[in-house]
Amino acid sequence: SHSEMVGQTVGELSPFKDVVSNQAMLERLQKDGYVRYENLPLETVDGRKIAVEFVSNVYEAGDKNVIQCNIRDITQRKQAEEAKEKLEGQLRQAQKMESVGQLAGGVAHDFNNLLTVILGSSEVLLRRADADAEWRDDVAAIQRAGERAAALTSQLLAIGHRRPVQSVVVDPDAVMESMRPMLVRLLGADVELVVVPGSPAGRIQADPAELERALLNMVINARDAMPQGGRIEFSTKVMGADLPGSWHVVALMVSDTGAGMDADTIEHCFEPFFTTKGLARGTGLGLAAVHAMVTQAGGHITVESTVGTGTTFTLWFPAADAEVDVQTPLLAPALDRGDEVILLVEDEEELRRLAVRELDRRGYAVVVASAGAEALEVAHSLDGRIDLLVTDVVMPGMSGIELAAKVSELWPLLPVLFVSGHLDEGSVGRNPMAEDADLLAKPFTPDQLGQRVRQALDRVQSRNREGVGAGDWRSRPNRAAWS
């Protein structure tokens, strides 16, 4: 109030108490006759610190020098500026992620085709019984290099949300328990792995393979943060389940007793290519891929860390009410054979040759096409006597999505197995395909192709369709007609 100010020195006034710059400001004011601060922290009577815009000048009034002060509370403006800066930062991060995704998507199709040929040819060579040990070791080294390259490509695609995913209902506790033997071997004797399952068990909607990769990445990061050994704990918790009708979440927590992270590291830890491990040990893609996996599953991730104490990552997922999807092979690997007719559509010659070789080895009658238009002509000539359409998603002219849609107009019950190295605007997951549509991600091995083809066919036969529609295998001509 006016009365509280009259007779006080500037240093005694409440707004100027405990402000380090106060004395320097007065000295500058006496020297220059003018001072301006755009963001000066002052203190209110009740002890709150506020941001103000402060302008002061000295002028003569009669025989006295008068100090005039104009102080404007800019707290709201400051908050708006901080919010704007935060939004701009989020926009820059989103643009960076989009750029990485575009880069990955741009190279992934051709690169994954090459990796499929490398991995597939390696597997075919390793099957040969006449190979000597040295020769097999060389081929195995090529295969391991291809698998590492595939893992890096997969992480890049995950960051840009362009990796094909197969989302099902899974139990995270069961996934972690199944990974325990492998993780124990990976961590070594000086790192203790503790798994604390939730009660009740939580279920989430996610790709089991992607969830495994995310957990593996976090466990590896935790191990690297504990070079002298320590403890890693995985636990789950269902939150909100005791509230009838309410939306609840499942929290997956991975904690370690490692070196921890400072505030700056925490701020950047999910950015692509950011790493504290050095160029020789880290790519900076692990946590970025984890973040992408969680967000793609509709969740979010948080981190708490203290330098010298440890770190806890928490993955938050919407809870799934459905029962867990049991992922078991429909047939034993040795029985992944058949005599059905398969229409294979692939524009890459080497990959097409590899796929035909594998499917023919398993007894199938394979009809090939290198483009969508050619595939339609083949489909018409066969008059629907096809048991399965296997098509690449990204092809010149007509995409696999468009091809499947046109074929399904004529033969709605024809099952489709999509093959893709990355997803774009025409992703399978957002396209209203037939209920038999399935997805095989590149790069894949010949065995994986054979297993997925058999599973797709068995799923159709198990529905007892009694010869309805395009999948009528009993009315198909002799296999020799298609060889």
Side-chain angles (χ1 to χ4, degrees):
S1 66
H2 183 274
S3 62
E4 290 173 327
M5 294 184 69
V6 172
Q8 302 291 314
T9 65
V10 173
E12 295 172 328
L13 294 175
S14 294
F16 296 95
K17 287 182 178 179
D18 302 323
V19 178
V20 176
S21 59
N22 179 40
Q23 186 62 37
M25 178 186 67
L26 290 176
E27 292 175 357
R28 181 179 168 191
L29 184 61
Q30 291 171 347
K31 176 183 176 182
D32 300 334
Y34 176 82
V35 68
R36 175 187 178 89
Y37 290 92
E38 294 187 356
N39 184 17
L40 180 70
L42 297 184
E43 186 176 307
T44 64
V45 175
D46 58 4
R48 291 181 298 108
K49 294 289 180 65
I50 61 172
V52 301
E53 181 183 70
F54 181 94
V55 179
S56 182
N57 63 292
V58 179
Y59 64 92
E60 294 183 358
D63 58 349
K64 295 182 179 180
N65 284 338
V66 177
I67 299 176
Q68 175 178 278
C69 299
N70 295 303
I71 305 174
R72 184 194 303 270
D73 185 348
I74 60 169
T75 302
Q76 291 185 344
R77 188 176 80 190
K78 184 72 174 175
Q79 292 172 344
E81 290 174 351
E82 291 174 350
K84 179 184 176 183
E85 183 178 348
K86 183 177 181 180
L87 288 173
E88 289 175 345
Q90 292 173 341
L91 176 60
R92 287 192 296 270
Q93 178 67 9
Q95 291 172 335
K96 182 189 299 184
M97 299 289 276
E98 180 63 23
S99 298
V100 172
Q102 289 176 353
L103 172 65
V107 302
H109 180 254
D110 291 339
F111 193 58
N112 276 325
N113 281 347
L114 295 173
L115 286 173
T116 301
V117 174
I118 291 171
L119 293 173
S121 299
S122 300
E123 183 176 291
V124 170
L125 289 173
L126 289 173
R127 288 175 184 163
R128 293 180 55 176
D130 60 342
D132 58 49
E134 183 179 356
W135 192 83
R136 290 182 64 86
D137 289 344
D138 290 338
V139 176
I142 295 173
Q143 189 176 52
R144 288 193 298 271
E147 290 170 349
R148 290 181 62 187
L152 287 174
T153 307
S154 181
Q155 287 181 320
L156 279 170
L157 290 173
I159 293 169
H161 296 295
R162 284 171 165 80
R163 183 164 61 193
V165 297
Q166 294 279 282
S167 181
V168 297
V169 178
V170 296
D171 178 356
D173 290 330
V175 171
M176 190 64 184
E177 193 61 42
S178 69
M179 294 176 66
R180 186 204 288 265
M182 179 267 292
L183 292 176
V184 169
R185 291 192 299 270
L186 176 69
L187 294 173
D190 58 347
V191 177
E192 179 187 10
L193 177 65
V194 179
V195 178
V196 182
S199 181
R203 301 182 179 93
I204 64 174
Q205 186 88 21
D207 186 319
E210 297 301 300
L211 180 60
E212 288 182 357
R213 289 192 187 98
L215 294 174
L216 179 61
N217 278 330
M218 288 190 293
V219 169
I220 290 175
N221 272 2
R223 179 203 62 186
D224 292 345
M226 301 183 297
Q228 307 303 320
R231 171 189 170 99
I232 299 175
E233 180 178 300
F234 171 85
S235 60
T236 59
K237 183 181 296 184
V238 180
M239 309 182 74
D242 55 339
L243 304 176
S246 67
W247 181 81
H248 54 284
V249 299
V250 177
L252 282 63
M253 290 155 283
V254 180
S255 303
D256 66 67
T257 57
M261 298 183 288
D262 58 25
D264 185 64
T265 302
I266 292 175
E267 183 179 353
H268 298 286
C269 68
F270 297 116
E271 293 181 4
F273 309 113
F274 176 82
T275 179
T276 59
K277 300 179 182 179
L279 295 177
R281 296 186 58 218
T283 62
L285 295 177
L287 286 179
V290 173
H291 183 276
M293 175 266 157
V294 175
T295 55
Q296 196 166 15
H300 70 281
I301 184 170
T302 58
V303 55
E304 297 179 2
S305 186
T306 304
V307 175
T309 301
T311 302
T312 297
F313 287 95
T314 304
L315 284 57
W316 306 86
F317 294 95
D321 295 326
E323 292 298 318
V324 172
D325 290 332
V326 179
Q327 301 295 303
T328 56
L330 297 175
L331 291 174
L335 301 177
D336 283 343
R337 302 177 57 84
D339 65 347
E340 293 91 343
V341 175
I342 298 173
L343 174 56
L344 173 68
V345 189
E346 170 58 58
D347 61 305
E348 181 68 31
E349 182 179 357
E350 287 297 319
L351 201 157
R352 188 170 64 245
R353 183 182 66 83
L354 183 70
V356 170
R357 178 177 179 176
E358 178 64 21
L359 294 175
D360 184 69
R361 186 180 76 88
R362 293 172 180 262
Y364 299 106
V366 185
V367 185
V368 298
S370 60
E374 180 186 354
L376 282 177
E377 293 180 4
V378 172
H380 279 286
S381 69
L382 296 178
D383 194 24
R385 292 174 301 220
I386 307 168
D387 295 291
L388 177 67
L389 170 64
V390 180
T391 177
D392 192 8
V393 172
V394 181
M395 297 185 295
M398 182 186 301
S399 72
I401 301 289
E402 295 170 321
L403 169 63
K406 291 181 180 295
V407 172
S408 67
E409 291 177 359
L410 299 173
W411 303 288
L413 297 179
L414 178 66
V416 181
L417 174 61
F418 290 106
V419 181
S420 179
H422 79 285
L423 298 183
D424 52 19
E425 295 303 319
S427 67
V428 178
R430 293 192 296 269
N431 198 293
M433 285 283 90
E435 61 181 5
D436 290 312
D438 204 351
L439 180 64
L440 174 61
K442 295 178 183 177
F444 54 83
T445 66
D447 274 343
Q448 290 171 335
L449 172 64
Q451 291 169 12
R452 294 301 294 275
V453 164
R454 187 66 261 162
Q455 288 177 7
L457 289 166
D458 287 347
R459 193 157 38 243
V460 174
Q461 292 182 8
S462 68
R463 289 174 182 166
N464 299 317
R465 293 198 291 202
E466 297 298 330
V468 178
D472 186 0
W473 59 273
R474 288 170 299 184
S475 65
R476 191 180 67 248
N478 189 290
R479 177 184 183 279
W482 314 113
S483 61

